[in-house]
Amino acid sequence: MNAIIQNPILRGFNPDPSILRVGDDYYIATSTFEWFPGVQIHHSRDLQNWRLLTRPLNRESQLDMRGAEESGGVWAPCLTHADGKFWLIFSDLKRRTGSFKDSRNYLVTADNIEGPWSDPIYLNGSGFDPSLFHDDDGRKYLLNMVWNHRNTEKGGKFGGILCQEYSVEEQRLVGPITNIYRGTDLRLTEGPHLYKRDGWYWLLTAEGGTEYNHAVTIARSRNLLGPYETDPAKHMLTSKDAPDAELQRAGHADIVETQDGEFYMVHLCSRPLPGLKRSVCGRETAIQKIIWEPGEFPRLAHGGNVPAAQVPAPNLPVQVWPEPQREFDFAPGPLPQPLQWLRTPQADRIFSLEDRPGWLRIFGRESPGNRFEHAVVMHRQTEWAYDAETEVEFAPQGYLQMAGLLCYYNAYLFHYLAITATEDGARELIVMSVKGDYPIGAVDYPLGQPIPLPATGAIRLGVSVDRDRLNFRYALPGGEWQPVPVTLDASLLADEAAGNACGSHTGAFVGMAAHDIAGTATPADFSHFRYMPRPA
């Protein structure tokens, strides 16, 4: 009897999956938006056990997101393999709000999945969610949704799926541009992936938007450029009519065939807190077994179109990886793989592991949520409940400097346990919350009175999150843990709480931060960081 895969397979902020098999190895690429380095690639040999392998967009010549809006940056990568190398297509959204979208679409390649990856080739800017299709005659085609800024009808700005040939020799798009598919009446058609099978071209798209009407639609044509016939069942995967399903917001999918001829589909999903419709782990990646008979439209193996929380694993040798690193004691060298920062490719301006060996030094830069140099080093929230803690040495001169433990969704949604100082330089501990209320980005101080701190010495900071409850704690030098006397709303750090006005595509993070609004780059030194998920 086959093992059971428990969904989601990539837990915590891993949306827009693109899956690829090369021999016995499976890879999934997911979006990272404004988090740097760009694109997460996970690796598996059995479709049930996954490990984070690499983030390919890791230098300034490939990706610079300074100034990107909330939920801008890297959207919807597409990972393929052809001609003996890996091909990665992605969007870099420079503007995502208002009537316009500035979406720069790029291609990078590598001989090895772990790199080095090439500098990007610019492709186009007509829309986002680009995908590369390798036809069996050797020709290659770029697909992307087109953004129609003129259409003011709700959902109408999604203008269909464009197709254009890509010339490997010229390293550019060539020939006519054809709109091959405009979707169903659910609209918001995006996320295209194209396959060729049984004499048909099969076009898989996402529809309904990446919220609770999200869906997967498939269409087919005998000709690459159409016309495409939509699946008579319309949506092969969706949770929109199943409000009690464990996996919600199901959509944005990609299909892979195993060595044994079985088919699986990875897709975006989320796990909202019961009764709250707030997904504190963001948009995640799940997998479904599908049946794809020759010449027929594919169907979920368990029937219907609602995603299953548990699916049968393929008949492949099980490959279990070591548990991901959760405890970080810092040493010179690269930043531990599970940790990320925001937007800037110039990491040496944000942090150093060499300046004080055994410590992570974060240089206070600009204000919390700044779009250019926000000095944070953070870990994804992967479960509804977790504990995290760190220890920090920090000598602020006044209230313009602060450092500590940050629970963060974006600039408009966060809770911050921060060491700062009075105008006279006396250290104190404060809690800052930004809750997305009007005026947008306004800071609340829920603690009331600051907690006085000794003039010197390392302060331990911790947090416990249990579904929608968030409680900070602290410990003075040589002392025991003390609760911070306020309970905060952890469910605010979620896509649904963000709303489209301030970005709603990422997920909650927890980690270390330093800020210096005075511009003097006052450093904060962190001795360690722990992130421990637990059952909720």
Side-chain angles (χ1 to χ4, degrees):
M1 182 176 178
N2 288 3
I4 296 297
I5 301 175
Q6 180 66 51
N7 278 317
I9 53 172
L10 305 182
R11 304 173 82 82
F13 179 37
N14 274 288
D16 312 323
S18 170
I19 191 168
L20 167 68
R21 179 176 69 86
V22 180
D24 295 332
D25 295 293
Y26 295 84
Y27 305 101
I28 293 178
T30 55
S31 300
T32 43
F33 292 84
E34 65 263 40
W35 291 89
F36 199 94
V39 178
Q40 296 216 121
I41 296 179
H42 284 80
H43 172 225
S44 176
R45 292 204 173 100
D46 56 18
L47 291 181
Q48 56 183 311
N49 297 290
W50 295 86
R51 61 170 176 163
L52 178 59
L53 187 65
T54 187
R55 296 191 187 98
L57 306 179
N58 56 22
R59 61 182 187 271
E60 188 169 355
S61 62
Q62 295 174 313
L63 183 65
D64 186 348
M65 299 181 291
R66 284 173 288 190
E69 295 181 74
E70 311 303 314
S71 289
V74 176
W75 285 24
C78 173
L79 182 65
T80 57
H81 187 267
D83 309 327
K85 62 182 176 181
F86 294 91
W87 306 69
L88 180 66
I89 305 280
F90 65 96
S91 297
D92 181 4
L93 266 287
K94 296 303 184 186
R95 176 180 177 179
R96 56 165 296 275
T97 55
S99 294
F100 296 97
K101 293 282 189 292
D102 290 324
S103 174
R104 301 176 184 176
N105 295 324
Y106 295 101
L107 163 67
V108 293
T109 60
D111 294 329
N112 186 298
I113 190 71
E114 297 188 67
W117 287 80
S118 69
D119 281 348
I121 296 168
Y122 175 79
L123 298 172
N124 68 11
S126 56
F128 46 85
D129 291 6
S131 176
L132 189 65
F133 170 64
H134 307 268
D135 209 341
D136 50 19
D137 62 1
R139 298 171 74 178
K140 305 183 188 304
Y141 298 87
L142 181 78
L143 294 91
N144 63 271
M145 67 78 67
V146 60
W147 186 257
N148 180 1
H149 64 272
R150 303 173 305 167
N151 196 338
T152 57
E153 189 176 348
K154 184 177 180 181
K157 290 183 171 61
F158 287 70
I161 304 300
L162 301 186
C163 181
Q164 187 178 13
E165 186 171 1
Y166 173 74
S167 169
V168 176
E169 294 75 19
E170 300 178 54
Q171 296 191 337
R172 65 183 184 92
L173 297 173
V174 296
I177 303 170
T178 305
N179 194 323
I180 63 172
Y181 186 65
R182 297 182 185 273
T184 74
D185 57 355
L186 189 58
R187 313 178 80 169
L188 305 174
T189 305
E190 57 186 339
H193 290 289
L194 193 61
Y195 319 92
K196 194 171 187 181
R197 172 176 161 79
D198 304 322
W200 294 91
Y201 291 92
W202 302 84
L203 178 63
L204 195 72
T205 62
E207 293 195 297
T210 190
E211 298 300 330
Y212 286 85
N213 283 327
H214 214 194
V216 175
T217 304
I218 193 164
R220 69 180 183 180
S221 174
R222 292 291 187 185
N223 301 302
L224 172 70
L225 299 181
Y228 280 82
E229 165 202 2
T230 299
D231 182 353
K234 202 173 194 179
H235 307 305
M236 67 173 294
L237 176 79
T238 185
S239 304
K240 68 184 182 66
D241 302 313
D244 296 327
E246 184 174 332
L247 303 179
Q248 290 293 317
R249 303 162 70 194
H252 202 117
D254 194 10
I255 296 172
V256 69
E257 183 177 2
T258 72
Q259 303 93 304
D260 297 332
E262 295 183 283
F263 290 92
Y264 282 80
M265 182 170 70
V266 294
H267 64 92
L268 180 157
C269 70
S270 77
R271 292 174 289 154
L273 293 171
L276 285 176
K277 272 198 169 182
R278 287 186 174 179
S279 305
V280 293
C281 295
R283 300 179 305 153
E284 304 174 289
T285 288
I287 193 167
Q288 305 295 325
K289 182 176 174 59
I290 64 174
I291 303 298
W292 200 351
E293 299 292 350
E296 301 294 329
F297 284 93
R299 295 287 180 258
L300 297 182
H302 61 270
N305 62 4
V306 178
Q310 294 183 328
V311 299
N315 186 24
L316 296 173
V318 174
Q319 173 69 69
V320 178
W321 309 109
E323 284 293 313
Q325 185 179 0
R326 303 294 193 195
E327 301 187 13
F328 308 93
D329 295 304
F330 299 114
L335 190 71
Q337 188 188 48
L339 305 179
Q340 282 187 275
W341 64 98
L342 282 161
R343 292 184 174 84
T344 179
Q346 296 182 355
D348 58 345
R349 286 185 53 82
I350 299 299
F351 63 85
S352 171
L353 288 160
E354 282 75 28
D355 280 14
R356 185 181 178 187
W359 297 70
L360 172 67
R361 173 162 290 177
I362 300 182
F363 304 103
R365 289 297 175 190
E366 297 176 294
S367 61
N370 181 274
R371 290 181 179 176
F372 291 85
E373 287 192 320
H374 188 192
V376 297
V377 174
M378 309 197 80
H379 192 291
R380 278 167 175 72
Q381 179 176 344
T382 59
E383 301 298 339
W384 289 347
Y386 71 85
D387 293 296
E389 63 180 57
T390 188
E391 180 184 51
V392 57
E393 287 191 356
F394 181 55
Q397 289 84 53
Y399 61 83
L400 296 178
Q401 293 85 31
M402 61 199 81
L405 186 62
L406 179 63
C407 299
Y408 186 83
Y409 182 88
N410 65 19
Y412 306 112
L413 295 165
F414 64 80
H415 301 302
Y416 187 11
L417 180 62
I419 300 168
T420 186
T422 65
E423 287 190 59
D424 298 330
R427 288 204 308 174
E428 59 185 13
L429 189 66
I430 63 171
V431 174
M432 301 173 63
S433 287
V434 174
K435 303 177 183 179
D437 299 330
Y438 184 84
I440 194 76
V443 178
D444 182 34
Y445 297 90
L447 186 57
Q449 293 300 313
I451 298 171
L453 297 176
T456 60
I459 306 297
R460 287 187 291 155
L461 304 175
V463 65
S464 293
V465 168
D466 188 351
R467 299 192 180 204
D468 62 339
R469 296 172 63 85
L470 186 153
N471 292 100
F472 284 123
R473 60 184 180 273
Y474 71 100
L476 302 180
E480 300 296 322
W481 285 110
Q482 302 292 326
V484 173
V486 62
T487 295
L488 302 172
D489 186 355
S491 77
L492 286 172
L493 310 184
D495 297 352
E496 297 91 336
N500 193 55
C502 59
S504 56
H505 298 328
T506 56
F509 282 70
V510 60
M512 301 154 286
H515 301 91
D516 188 341
I517 305 169
T520 56
T522 301
D525 292 341
F526 296 84
S527 65
H528 67 274
F529 179 71
R530 307 280 186 266
Y531 171 80
M532 305 303 295
R534 53 184 170 79

